[in-house]
Amino acid sequence: MAFGISFRRTFKHAPWIDAVDRVSAAGDNGFNIRFRRLEEDLDTIGQRFETVSTALDSLAATEAAVRSIALVPLLSPIGESGWDLATTPGTAALKGDGTAMGAMPVPLPEAGRITGFRAFGTIVQTPASVRIDLTRRALDGSGEKLIARIQASSSEEFREKVPNAETAGIDPQAAYYIIASVNGTGLNTSVMLSGFRVRYEEG
């Protein structure tokens, strides 16, 4: 990336000669005019620094752009009833009357802010109650905090959720994971999760 920033010095010192030049404040060869020319060059340098600073600030703002991570729902079972991961590779499913619960880790940078959490999937033949939580827990095992929750009883409710400001900051001393559960299904119910997306800002 080229910014075209340059500086050309305008002041050129002409040495005074002992016993020849009379050094004075005024005149074409005096202190005043020489220092004024130095001031003009220094002002130009200051303007160039402001231009460079503005360009660097712009680059820093670009680096803070929102990024996203897409995750396949490889949910490890919690308890006796886990999601069906085998019937359709890359998805987590439940068909018929029953319950399922599973969890998976979410890899995030050490610093930044989470800006959104979304699940992708379908619910066919309600009733069904699907709950998907983005959660964090301190590495020492203490303090679990909910970041964002998706509650869905139809396919249209798999929308992006924005975490509240108190829990959006990424904690390097915590592990992040997703917990997905479903219950309240009927004999003809079919629930399929096809992916998760976490959006975040680094830095």
Side-chain angles (χ1 to χ4, degrees):
M1 181 180 295
F3 295 106
I5 299 172
S6 63
F7 169 74
R8 178 174 295 179
R9 177 172 54 85
T10 62
F11 174 76
K12 184 176 181 180
H13 176 65
W16 284 298
I17 301 174
D18 289 337
V20 175
D21 292 313
R22 175 177 292 181
V23 180
S24 63
D28 294 339
N29 198 33
F31 278 112
N32 288 340
I33 192 169
R34 292 198 179 197
F35 282 133
R36 189 176 303 116
R37 290 170 180 167
L38 282 173
E39 284 181 342
E40 291 172 354
D41 276 352
L42 290 173
D43 288 341
T44 301
I45 293 174
Q47 292 170 3
R48 298 296 186 270
F49 270 107
E50 289 180 3
T51 302
V52 171
S53 178
T54 300
L56 293 176
D57 288 344
S58 177
L59 287 175
T62 302
E63 291 174 358
V66 175
R67 307 179 190 277
S68 66
I69 179 171
L71 301 166
V72 175
L74 301 176
L75 297 161
S76 300
I78 298 176
E80 298 180 356
S81 302
W83 290 85
D84 175 10
L85 306 180
T87 301
T88 304
T91 68
L94 174 70
K95 291 185 178 181
D97 188 10
T99 62
M101 179 177 287
M104 62 179 290
V106 178
L108 290 172
E110 291 187 354
R113 295 184 64 80
I114 298 171
T115 60
F117 173 54
R118 183 176 179 180
F120 298 85
T122 57
I123 300 174
V124 180
Q125 292 292 338
T126 56
S129 177
V130 180
R131 192 177 78 181
I132 306 169
D133 292 343
L134 176 61
T135 309
R136 80 180 183 206
R137 182 186 291 275
L139 295 178
D140 61 8
S142 64
E144 183 176 280
K145 288 189 177 181
L146 177 66
I147 309 301
R149 170 172 291 171
I150 297 170
Q151 192 86 37
S153 57
S154 67
S155 301
E156 292 75 20
E157 293 178 308
F158 286 123
R159 303 188 188 96
E160 184 173 80
K161 299 295 182 180
V162 177
N164 61 57
E166 295 179 358
T167 57
I170 298 175
D171 183 357
Q173 300 302 316
Y176 288 77
Y177 53 95
I178 293 169
I179 299 177
S181 63
V182 58
N183 55 50
T185 59
L187 292 174
N188 298 318
T189 302
S190 175
V191 178
M192 178 180 289
L193 301 178
S194 54
F196 306 115
R197 184 181 67 198
V198 179
R199 298 194 303 128
Y200 61 92
E201 292 179 352
E202 285 187 333

